[in-house]
Amino acid sequence: TFKPLWKLTQGFLSSAGTVASAFAFLTLLLFIFACIGAEVISKLDWSGAGADVAKFVSERFSSLPLIMLSLIQFITQDSISDIYYPLILHRP
């Protein structure tokens, strides 16, 4: 009897629109914050902070996709201290 499996499949399919809308909303929100991050972090002059921090900023915050990837890493708390620690030391 595949009735429970069929009900589960129907439930997944009926919620696909809601999941897609939530995904689109979160992607838009991430894009907006990445644009803000591009203006705030990447536009600052990091040359006085040292070569290692300037290199870190150019590697992590040089393009919008890289900023979005850093934000996803920050949201999921995947080694977030590697991102904010060098920046906080030189620009508290």
Side-chain angles (χ1 to χ4, degrees), residues 39-75:
E39 290 296 320
V40 172
I41 295 174
S42 64
K43 300 293 183 185
L44 290 174
D45 181 29
W46 292 96
S47 60
D52 56 340
V53 176
K55 182 178 182 247
F56 175 77
V57 169
S58 69
E59 286 175 355
R60 294 290 220 157
F61 300 100
S62 61
S63 68
L64 205 54
L66 286 175
I67 296 171
M68 289 177 74
L69 186 62
S70 297
L71 278 175
I72 290 173
Q73 182 179 358
F74 198 84
I75 289 169

